[in-house]
Amino acid sequence: MRRRIVCTVLLILAGFFIVRSNFFTIKAIYVKAEKTECTDTQTIKNSSNLLGQNLLFLNSSKIKKDLKFKFFCIRSVGLSRQFPSQVKLFVSGREPVAILSVLKSKEATGSSFLENIATPGAEPSSDSFLIDNEGVIFSKISEQSSIPKIYFYDLSFSLGQKLAGS
């Protein structure tokens, strides 16, 4: 009986030590990022809000979800705990498969319709977005690119939007 009481007290003290001590407090974050044009490693590190948290009670799924919500260009986040006080984040970005471009106007005649499809004669607006193979709109684009363009008339898109049917 006495042995159980001593073991219980030692377990409670060990638990208290783990929760209250700075031994498992995150002091260093390392970020490896690939194809994340919308952000950099320092910004990811700062946005993760990991410094000062307890490594043992870390909610990795919430951290991954928050980073993907803050940066639409992030496709996946991996998290590795390095005991006793370090975390490594592996971040990979989205790869564009097309550019969505909204036209300000379209030609009125039917004969010009085919010409607009082949080479858009209508004036494109400044709203052009990159979209990945999952249908997620993740970045605005202003410069020319060799990525295929898809033109729309009278539609609006926003960052982070996922196209229906994707």
Side-chain angles (χ1 to χ4, degrees):
M1 182 68 163
R2 182 176 249 199
R3 194 177 224 179
R4 280 189 176 168
I5 293 172
V6 170
C7 286
T8 304
V9 169
L10 287 176
L11 282 173
I12 290 171
L13 286 174
F16 184 74
F17 171 75
I18 288 172
V19 172
R20 300 299 279 171
S21 75
N22 288 336
F23 187 69
F24 291 109
T25 300
I26 298 173
K27 297 176 183 107
I29 305 167
Y30 302 100
V31 178
K32 182 180 181 199
E34 296 176 344
K35 300 177 183 173
T36 53
E37 288 80 23
C38 69
T39 187
D40 57 35
T41 56
Q42 187 62 41
T43 306
I44 293 171
K45 186 185 295 188
N46 294 340
S47 295
S48 68
N49 297 321
L50 289 171
L51 286 177
Q53 290 191 29
N54 190 310
L55 188 67
L56 298 177
F57 302 115
L58 198 61
N59 186 347
S60 59
S61 61
K62 182 180 180 328
I63 293 164
K64 293 174 186 180
K65 182 182 172 187
D66 288 348
L67 283 174
K68 289 170 70 175
F69 181 76
K70 287 179 186 177
F71 305 104
F72 298 124
C73 69
I74 292 177
R75 170 179 247 147
S76 65
V77 178
L79 187 137
S80 172
R81 300 167 198 229
Q82 307 292 311
F83 286 97
S85 62
Q86 297 176 357
V87 172
K88 290 185 180 179
L89 293 173
F90 305 95
V91 179
S92 62
R94 299 183 179 279
E95 292 187 51
V97 294
I99 297 173
L100 300 179
S101 196
V102 180
L103 299 174
K104 289 181 184 176
S105 62
K106 67 178 182 179
E107 299 293 337
T109 63
S111 63
S112 66
F113 179 70
L114 291 176
E115 183 179 330
N116 279 341
I117 293 174
T119 56
E123 186 180 338
S125 74
S126 59
D127 294 336
S128 293
F129 300 92
L130 293 176
I131 186 169
D132 71 350
N133 61 351
E134 294 176 350
V136 176
I137 299 170
F138 65 94
S139 180
K140 276 194 167 192
I141 185 169
S142 57
E143 71 273 355
Q144 292 295 326
S145 177
S146 61
I147 301 170
K149 289 187 177 184
I150 302 171
Y151 294 95
F152 290 94
Y153 173 71
D154 201 26
L155 288 178
S156 63
F157 301 109
S158 61
L159 291 176
Q161 177 182 353
K162 185 170 183 175
L163 294 184
S166 306

